Amino acid sequence: ATTLIGCMVRLIFCDANTINHYLCDIYPLLQLSCTGTYIIELEVIIVSGINITVPSLTIFISYGLILTNILHIKSTEGRSKAFSTCSSHIIAVSLFFGSSAFVYLKPSSVSADDGKISSVFYTNVISMMNPLIYSLRNKDVKLALRKTLRLFCISTPVNELVLSIVVGINIIFVSYGLIFSSILHIKPMEGRSKALSTCSSHIIAVSLFFGSGAFVNLKPSAGPK
């Protein structure tokens, strides 16, 4: 951050003061500059490349060592539990570094609107997923969540699949709230329509999946079988 701020001080900015983004990010800020930004963009790529590559390599080497130890666990149940914990973390890490790399190491052909959507993931969605990934693996937390849900007049027993449906739907709604707020700031109508079209396709698939799952697992006992 210090390196990039030191480079930004030398820039001369135009009269425009509106950033085409939902946060004060580097590339949208460079678009307001009246002077050449090639050197700074090169420095952003180098710094971002180091910040993404070094932690990624460290994590993958660490997981290589972890997986080697997991394979030596004799208990099948213990091995499965360890693999489950690792897979959750790997998904979160991959989404974080993948979306970050897309934003800061993207080719010039990629539009700024795509960068904004990716920024939602590495700034908001991943941060929101981490507490769910780790805390919901704890039996005491699961039990407390079941009791809380029962207080809201849920009369049927809350099993693991029901809990997954409820949590999954909440995550998706919060995520799409953030995504739609970013889409509304897209200036070209064509870009906004394209983003909404992509989102609507996903929402239909998600609605069918969770809707059918909820019908099967949350239907009353007297309902159709």
Side-chain angles (χ1 to χ4, degrees):
T2 306
T3 304
L4 297 174
I5 291 170
C7 296
M8 299 284 273
V9 169
R10 297 178 301 189
L11 293 178
I12 298 173
F13 291 95
C14 302
D15 294 333
N17 59 1
T18 303
I19 298 174
N20 184 23
H21 209 280
Y22 75 97
L23 59 90
C24 188
D25 210 358
I26 298 168
Y27 284 128
L29 192 59
L30 290 179
Q31 292 175 0
L32 305 182
S33 173
C34 299
T35 52
T37 59
Y38 174 77
I39 300 298
I40 297 180
E41 288 179 11
L42 188 62
E43 289 178 354
V44 170
I45 292 173
I46 293 171
V47 172
S48 302
I50 293 171
N51 289 340
I52 291 170
T53 305
V54 173
S56 299
L57 286 175
T58 305
I59 289 167
F60 281 116
I61 291 170
S62 301
Y63 266 104
L65 299 172
I66 290 168
L67 292 174
T68 304
N69 288 323
I70 289 174
L71 293 174
H72 288 88
I73 298 175
K74 294 180 180 180
S75 167
T76 305
E77 184 181 353
R79 199 158 51 228
S80 300
K81 188 176 180 181
F83 272 122
S84 175
T85 304
C86 290
S87 61
S88 302
H89 183 241
I90 287 173
I91 290 170
V93 167
S94 301
L95 286 172
F96 177 77
F97 283 108
S99 55
S100 300
F102 182 80
V103 172
Y104 296 108
L105 304 179
K106 64 185 179 183
S108 56
S109 58
V110 177
S111 68
D113 298 332
D114 292 333
K116 281 192 284 188
I117 294 173
S118 296
S119 297
V120 172
F121 279 92
Y122 85 86
T123 55
N124 296 293
V125 176
I126 308 302
S127 304
M128 184 175 57
M129 283 175 60
N130 273 329
L132 293 171
I133 287 173
Y134 295 111
S135 62
L136 289 179
R137 308 193 71 82
N138 185 295
K139 290 182 180 179
D140 294 331
V141 175
K142 287 180 181 178
L143 182 61
L145 183 59
R146 288 193 187 103
K147 289 179 179 178
T148 303
L149 291 173
R150 287 195 184 101
L151 291 176
F152 288 98
C153 302
I154 297 178
S155 57
T156 56
V158 182
N159 56 29
E160 296 293 330
L161 190 55
V162 173
L163 188 63
S164 299
I165 292 172
V166 173
V167 173
I169 291 173
N170 284 330
I171 292 173
I172 289 168
F173 275 122
V174 174
S175 301
Y176 267 103
L178 298 169
I179 291 169
F180 280 129
S181 66
S182 296
I183 290 174
L184 293 175
H185 288 87
I186 298 175
K187 292 182 180 178
M189 183 62 70
E190 183 181 353
R192 195 155 55 226
S193 300
K194 186 178 179 182
L196 288 172
S197 174
T198 304
C199 290
S200 61
S201 304
H202 182 243
I203 287 174
I204 291 170
V206 166
S207 300
L208 288 172
F209 175 78
F210 282 105
S212 56
F215 178 77
V216 170
N217 296 282
L218 303 179
K219 66 184 179 183
S221 56
K225 296 183 179 179

